[in-house]
Amino acid sequence: MNKIIIAIMASSLVPAAAMAQSAVTVYGVADVGFVRETGGAEGSVNTINSGVASGSRLGFKGTEDLGGGVKAYFVLENGMKIDTGSAAQGGLLFGRQAYLGVSGQSGAVSFGRQYSPYYRAMRDIVDPFCDGLAGQAGNITASNARLDNMVGYASPTLYGFAAELAVGVGEVPGNSAAKRAYSTALSYTAKTLVVTLGWHQQQNALASDSSANTLLGARYDWGVAEGHLGYARNKGLLGARSNDAIVGASVPFGPHKVYASYVRHDDTTHANRDASQWGLGYTYALSKRTDLYAAYARIGNRNGATFKVGNATTDGTGNTGANLGIRHTF
């Protein structure tokens, strides 16, 4: 990987006379909806939430053409709460994403706070809800969403194959392994079929234990519908072990789109804290940038399992959740 980074950096040394072309884009999502949750210790909970289908955000992204097929690029993305006007992601200025990179014929290298390759494989290929609304697979599966201090490499696509590699540097003084994370995804695309294999490992704060997830998933487009499949094997801290299975579909017709999925979590330890989730969602496009959405999901917990129905930005309070809202992208 070091040779790849050096090659990409070296290829960016173009003549000073080269005319660089740059562009900066401002973009975002405004999402707000009504959420009703039941089945938790707090009883029935009714709220107006921001980021139910997609996290509300304001972002800046840009590229500069350095010549010779090499580009520099950046993303700065702030998460916000439309319902209160406050910052999301614990108040971080650019808590959703913040990174800088260089791309060329050999691939792309990026540095900063970014989505892990494992998370993108789950969100974009396996989960028909794309990590949003009540039916999202992340309610009972590991998502491994973001890595701080991440160094990532994305290969070019060759004969349908592409790979992503990432390391999240823990930056713990005196213990370079502590909090370190590794994440990879290998994908193959052939017309209407996409297959992915992902792996993610996270060290704890002392590097004395680690969690790991391995994901095999696929998405197939029949034209009238898309099918989604996924299977994950999980190793948690303190000897936790589990398997997850995901099957789902999304069906577009005109301005309408229907989503459905079933997620099964199998705890393979003696505790046997299994869970299963059924989810159903619907969106209606008012325009290319604005849609209405509705969703419902229910989790069946067994033997003391405590999974909750959340959405794109909240973890939920009970084992059922219903959403109704509006989303605008710009």
Side-chain angles (χ1 to χ4, degrees):
M1 182 172 175
N2 289 335
K3 293 182 179 179
I4 294 171
I5 295 175
I6 293 171
I8 293 175
M9 292 303 186
S11 66
S12 69
L13 300 177
V14 297
M19 297 298 292
Q21 299 295 322
S22 61
V24 177
T25 301
V26 179
Y27 67 95
V29 177
D31 178 314
V32 65
F34 171 76
V35 176
R36 176 174 173 81
E37 298 166 341
T38 61
E42 302 174 26
S44 298
V45 177
N46 302 310
T47 57
I48 299 296
N49 278 4
S50 172
V52 179
S54 302
S56 298
R57 70 202 70 172
L58 175 64
F60 307 87
K61 60 183 178 182
T63 62
E64 182 179 19
D65 189 345
L66 302 177
V70 179
K71 293 183 179 181
Y73 60 95
F74 76 90
V75 170
L76 298 172
E77 193 172 278
N78 166 262
M80 66 183 74
K81 299 179 180 179
I82 296 297
D83 54 335
T84 63
S86 60
Q89 288 81 46
L92 297 176
L93 179 59
F94 294 111
R96 292 189 59 85
Q97 298 184 88
Y99 62 87
L100 175 66
V102 178
S103 66
Q105 292 183 351
S106 300
V109 178
S110 55
F111 309 86
R113 179 175 168 86
Q114 305 171 66
Y115 292 121
S116 75
Y118 184 98
Y119 170 75
R120 285 195 294 269
M122 176 68 79
R123 179 194 65 185
D124 300 337
I125 298 173
V126 175
D127 185 4
F129 285 87
C130 299
D131 193 41
L133 296 174
Q136 62 180 7
N139 289 331
I140 61 177
T141 64
S143 60
N144 303 312
R146 297 179 181 89
L147 293 178
D148 287 336
N149 312 308
M150 176 177 140
V151 180
Y153 168 71
S155 77
T157 300
L158 183 63
Y159 300 110
F161 288 94
E164 293 184 70
L165 312 172
V167 178
V169 182
E171 295 191 353
V172 175
N175 190 342
S176 61
K179 294 185 179 181
R180 182 182 296 172
Y182 301 93
S183 192
T184 66
L186 174 65
S187 64
Y188 174 72
T189 303
K191 295 183 179 178
T192 58
L193 174 67
V194 182
V195 179
T196 186
L197 177 64
W199 177 77
H200 190 99
Q201 183 187 66
Q202 176 76 57
Q203 297 285 338
N204 69 0
L206 299 175
S208 58
D209 198 359
S210 65
S211 61
N213 311 97
T214 303
L215 171 70
L216 178 62
R219 184 186 72 230
Y220 188 84
D221 187 356
W222 284 282
V224 296
E226 283 190 337
H228 303 257
L229 290 172
Y231 179 78
R233 300 194 67 175
N234 312 301
K235 169 190 171 295
L237 301 176
L238 302 176
R241 296 286 192 280
S242 63
N243 300 322
D244 299 322
I246 303 157
V247 58
S250 54
V251 183
F253 50 103
H256 313 275
K257 195 169 187 178
V258 175
Y259 311 80
S261 71
Y262 173 75
V263 186
R264 167 74 180 178
H265 177 79
D266 180 21
D267 180 1
T268 58
T269 69
H270 70 279
N272 200 31
R273 293 189 176 98
D274 298 339
S276 59
Q277 173 183 276
W278 288 96
L280 185 64
Y282 168 77
T283 58
Y284 177 78
L286 297 172
S287 69
K288 290 183 178 180
R289 297 188 300 170
T290 304
D291 65 356
L292 303 175
Y293 58 77
Y296 176 83
R298 181 179 181 86
I299 293 176
N301 288 306
R302 300 174 181 84
N303 302 319
T306 57
F307 294 102
K308 299 178 176 65
V309 176
N311 53 61
T313 55
T314 62
D315 294 332
T317 62
N319 70 328
T320 68
N323 314 146
L324 182 63
I326 185 170
R327 171 176 53 186
H328 174 76
T329 62
F330 60 91

